[in-house]
Amino acid sequence: MEIKTTQLRRCDLIALSGRFDSSAAPALDQALRASLDRGMFHIVVDMSGVEYFGSAAIRALVIAFKECRRWNRGDVRLAALPEKIRQVFDIAGITPLIKLYDDTVTAVGNF
Amino acid sequence: MSSELELCVASELRNLAAIADFVSEAAARAGLDDTQVFEVQMAADEACTNSMEHAYEGREDGRVQVCCFVEDNVFVVRVTDFGKPFEPETVPVPDITLPLEDRSVGGLGLFLMRRLVDEVQFSRDSTGGNQVTLRKRRRMGHT
């Protein structure tokens, strides 16, 4: 599992790769929180390298969505969501509520 | 796959990756397709997470047993732990029709488990362990 945050002018880009089960979820939560704590509420998560995303990781993401959207101050957007992870998001009923982009360039450009 | 495969690990979250590999390999050997392998390993991951986080309440000295076998045309994963009794009826069912802002964050693991496999069964075994049995029907022919 790997998490890499890049601070861009308009947003933070958090690139994830590998397996995000319950043992990895706290690190994801921390990375998202680090952006929020700096007052950055525009976040793009690059999901292209994600092999697995369990319920604990989904929870960490949902918490960040809620935080960012409070008072309309921002959003978390997902780029390059692998198909099998997208199916899990579909089951969890999350897909219709989030903005998905084919790639990070488009996701970042839309902020 | 004719015989039963078993893996026994300590209740540490870092062992979830080994469990996922074990279940994926057993499911592939049993003839499940890639999508089904992914779904059943995810259900097993959520079941083992429940054992570690809830039955053992985060204690890392417990035992989690994962057993895989085929019964008729069904791939079965049985997860056993010896932690405190698990009562699935007390877990809230998430309302996935609510807007994101109103979503509660609990109960998602159990909800996903029930959607990813054909049957989820909870029981207490004779030695006092919690057992979760996941059943996934093999898809025949092309998918």
Side-chain angles (χ1 to χ4, degrees):
Chain A
M1 176 274 292
E2 219 177 309
I3 303 173
K4 193 175 160 230
T5 300
T6 310
Q7 296 178 22
L8 304 173
R9 204 157 47 85
R10 278 188 278 201
C11 63
D12 274 5
L13 174 62
I14 303 180
L16 308 182
S17 61
R19 191 178 164 80
F20 286 83
D21 58 23
S22 300
S23 69
L28 174 61
D29 189 55
Q30 248 169 37
L32 290 162
R33 201 150 293 281
S35 295
L36 301 177
D37 288 348
R38 282 200 338 272
M40 175 50 83
F41 302 106
H42 294 83
I43 299 170
V44 170
V45 182
D46 177 3
M47 300 286 289
S48 60
V50 174
E51 289 156 20
Y52 179 74
F53 214 74
S55 64
I58 294 177
R59 266 198 297 278
L61 211 49
V62 168
I63 290 167
F65 279 125
K66 287 186 184 180
E67 281 290 310
C68 286
R69 288 183 181 178
R70 185 174 296 166
W71 305 305
N72 261 335
R73 61 188 174 185
D75 199 7
V76 179
R77 294 176 177 176
L78 303 187
L81 187 64
E83 183 54 32
K84 61 184 177 184
I85 311 296
R86 191 201 167 106
Q87 281 167 11
V88 173
F89 281 32
D90 285 346
I91 296 173
I94 290 172
T95 320
L97 308 175
I98 53 179
K99 286 199 169 145
L100 299 173
Y101 295 89
D102 289 344
D103 54 76
T104 52
V105 175
T106 319
V108 169
N110 270 282
F111 262 133
Chain B
M1 188 173 67
S2 55
S3 58
E4 211 172 277
L5 296 171
E6 193 182 289
L7 178 74
C8 189
V9 297
S11 54
E12 298 172 45
L13 288 173
R14 67 162 171 267
N15 287 328
L16 288 170
I19 293 171
D21 287 346
F22 170 74
V23 172
S24 296
E25 201 184 315
R29 276 166 65 177
L32 270 64
D33 65 35
D34 289 352
T35 304
Q36 290 186 306
V37 168
F38 182 79
E39 290 169 344
V40 78
Q41 72 81 27
M42 179 157 196
D45 178 72
E46 297 293 348
C48 293
T49 294
N50 274 348
S51 290
M52 294 172 183
E53 290 191 331
H54 301 298
Y56 290 119
E57 299 173 298
R59 266 179 31 230
E60 297 189 334
D61 58 350
R63 257 185 315 139
V64 178
Q65 280 173 5
V66 185
C67 194
C68 299
F69 56 95
V70 174
E71 204 174 59
D72 300 321
N73 202 28
V74 177
F75 178 69
V76 184
V77 182
R78 182 165 290 147
V79 175
T80 307
D81 68 62
F82 304 91
K84 71 169 197 191
F86 178 60
E87 292 161 345
E89 60 282 356
T90 62
V91 178
V93 179
D95 183 350
I96 63 159
T97 63
L98 288 175
L100 206 53
E101 292 72 16
D102 301 329
R103 293 281 178 100
S104 74
V105 288
L108 187 59
L110 194 54
F111 176 83
L112 288 171
M113 269 163 68
R114 289 185 162 128
R115 295 288 302 270
L116 290 163
V117 294
D118 298 299
E119 193 189 317
V120 181
Q121 197 178 36
F122 298 94
S123 58
R124 291 290 284 178
D125 79 354
S126 53
T127 62
N130 290 309
Q131 268 191 353
V132 185
T133 307
L134 310 167
R135 290 192 167 83
K136 185 90 178 162
R137 220 167 294 124
R138 272 192 289 201
R139 209 154 25 205
M140 302 308 274
H142 66 277
T143 54

